[in-house]
Amino acid sequence: METLILKGNEQQAIPCVATIGMFDGVHKGHRFVLSHICDYAKAHQLASMVITFDQHPREVVQTDWKPQLLTTFDERMRLLEETGIDYCVVLPFTKEMANLTARDFMQLMANQLGVKVLMTGYDNRFGHNRHDTFEDYVRYGKEIGMEVEQLPAVSQKLKAKSQKPEISSSLIRQLLAEGNVSEAAECLSYPYRLTGKVVRGEHIGTTLGFPTANLQLNDPRKLIPASGVYAVRCLMEEGRRKMFVGMMNIGTRPTFGEHSQTLEVHILDYEGDLYGQEITVSFIERLREERQFDNEEELKEQLKEDANTVHSLKL
């Protein structure tokens, strides 16, 4: 995949079939659209292209909006690379771009990017205030000389019956906010991940016999799953990339009084100094909610049970 950063009125016209969107998470629904684009491109001797943005459009349109991203920019680029797309065009999203109508935006795609065919997801909207419909896009396309096609939704059977089956970034955020990391992984096609540096904490875990690495996220805009204890895989660099199994607590440690939220991971069967290291945590399964225990001994017994449960999962 060749990544192009389009600035100003540069000409990067490449006859192509394309789609446009934020692609936060690059989930199964996104991959379905991108797979169709790759197949169509090969069948019609066109390049395949994904058009995305350097930041979430809502960060520009609503300056007080706090993102809860599924993927950082670098993560998004790596995941898009896996899809087999020929070109990824990154548009710096500005207030001027936010004011473009859908027709003007499609004209830009035709003139500067060479888009001949535009494929959209079932719920994809773009242009100022996103008020245009798919029928409007088809009409603009005929005027510009661009074919527009809409692809159906991708569904996922979920155990949480209250959830809509259509896969979307919003659905995945909701699942994570509920702590349902296993079904979020089904929708993403990979486990949800957080990456951060190990910083010094209060050593509470060490006193309990379960030393923890306190994570400070590399990107604070990433969504943090619901409070609780999780079975996780941990990827660490430490000279070479190594994968370990662990359990992570997200919460405020209520047994020890009032605390701000922390992200603490205990890596099973590991000894060593982790301070300053970068760790990527992949969430596999939620073990339980965080709760207050009557005393430290009761908490230690629960942590032993948690560790045994993680071992039994054979991650």
Side-chain angles (χ1 to χ4, degrees):
M1 181 181 79
E2 183 176 349
T3 303
L4 307 172
I5 310 292
L6 191 68
K7 298 178 181 178
N9 293 315
E10 295 173 356
Q11 298 293 321
Q12 297 278 7
I14 302 162
C16 64
V17 51
T19 189
I20 182 168
M22 185 63 189
F23 301 100
D24 188 22
V26 194
H27 53 63
K28 278 184 179 177
H30 295 143
R31 290 167 188 261
F32 173 76
V33 173
L34 297 172
S35 174
H36 272 264
I37 286 174
C38 290
D39 291 343
Y40 187 100
K42 288 175 185 174
H44 294 82
Q45 287 78 52
L46 293 169
S48 57
M49 179 181 289
V50 58
I51 304 166
T52 190
F53 308 106
D54 62 342
Q55 60 183 321
H56 200 291
R58 281 185 67 184
E59 292 183 78
V60 175
V61 177
Q62 298 172 245
T63 54
D64 60 343
W65 180 68
K66 292 187 186 259
Q68 289 198 305
L69 300 178
L70 302 175
T71 43
T72 66
F73 178 79
D74 288 342
E75 288 170 341
R76 196 160 33 111
M77 291 301 104
R78 284 196 295 270
L79 290 165
L80 287 172
E81 177 90 41
E82 295 173 0
T83 66
I85 287 285
D86 295 320
Y87 294 95
C88 176
V89 173
V90 180
L91 301 176
F93 199 86
T94 62
K95 289 183 178 178
E96 291 73 23
M97 182 170 289
N99 288 324
L100 287 177
T101 65
R103 192 190 189 288
D104 288 342
F105 202 88
M106 290 174 68
Q107 191 74 65
L108 178 150
M109 286 191 275
N111 293 348
Q112 290 187 241
L113 301 177
V115 177
K116 303 298 182 187
V117 180
L118 178 65
M119 289 190 180
T120 71
Y122 79 102
D123 63 345
N124 194 13
R125 294 287 182 271
F126 58 88
H128 183 61
N129 290 333
R130 304 175 69 207
H131 68 267
D132 290 288
T133 65
F134 173 72
E135 288 70 26
D136 291 323
Y137 302 152
V138 172
R139 179 162 49 85
Y140 302 150
K142 287 179 179 176
E143 295 168 1
I144 293 167
M146 179 189 297
E147 182 182 341
V148 182
E149 181 180 338
Q150 187 177 47
L151 296 172
V154 175
S155 298
Q156 178 76 39
K157 283 190 177 180
L158 299 174
K159 293 177 185 175
K161 293 181 180 173
S162 61
Q163 307 288 5
K164 293 181 180 178
E166 292 83 10
I167 295 175
S168 67
S169 299
S170 297
L171 169 61
I172 296 166
R173 290 188 194 100
Q174 186 177 347
L175 289 168
L176 292 171
E178 294 169 356
N180 197 341
V181 295
S182 56
E183 292 202 343
E186 287 292 322
C187 294
L188 286 166
S189 75
Y190 60 88
Y192 183 66
R193 305 173 188 128
L194 292 176
T195 299
K197 287 262 177 73
V198 179
V199 297
R200 295 195 178 274
E202 297 178 25
H203 304 288
I204 292 175
T206 302
T207 64
L208 296 171
F210 289 85
T212 59
N214 289 263
L215 283 193
Q216 181 177 304
L217 295 185
N218 290 354
D219 190 335
R221 299 176 303 165
K222 283 271 286 189
L223 185 152
I224 297 173
S227 294
V229 179
Y230 296 86
V232 297
R233 292 193 191 100
C234 304
L235 180 65
M236 296 189 291
E237 300 298 331
E238 58 168 26
R240 56 181 182 152
R241 291 164 68 85
K242 288 185 180 178
M243 187 73 76
F244 294 87
V245 172
M247 55 188 193
M248 183 169 205
N249 184 78
I250 298 175
T252 58
R253 296 170 291 178
T255 303
F256 299 93
E258 295 291 327
H259 293 82
S260 57
Q261 186 187 62
T262 57
L263 309 175
E264 299 176 279
V265 59
H266 170 70
I267 300 171
L268 274 59
D269 307 317
Y270 178 86
E271 293 182 7
D273 185 357
L274 294 172
Y275 290 123
Q277 285 201 48
E278 185 174 274
I279 299 179
T280 296
V281 176
S282 297
F283 291 83
I284 309 303
E285 188 173 311
R286 192 180 195 219
L287 303 179
R288 61 177 174 85
E289 295 181 350
E290 184 184 48
R291 65 186 179 89
Q292 183 172 340
F293 293 87
D294 293 334
N295 52 61
E296 289 188 18
E297 283 304 314
E298 189 179 319
L299 173 55
K300 283 170 70 173
E301 288 304 310
Q302 180 62 61
L303 291 173
K304 289 176 185 176
E305 285 185 32
D306 295 337
N308 288 335
T309 302
V310 175
H311 277 301
S312 71
L313 293 174
K314 301 188 186 304
L315 303 181

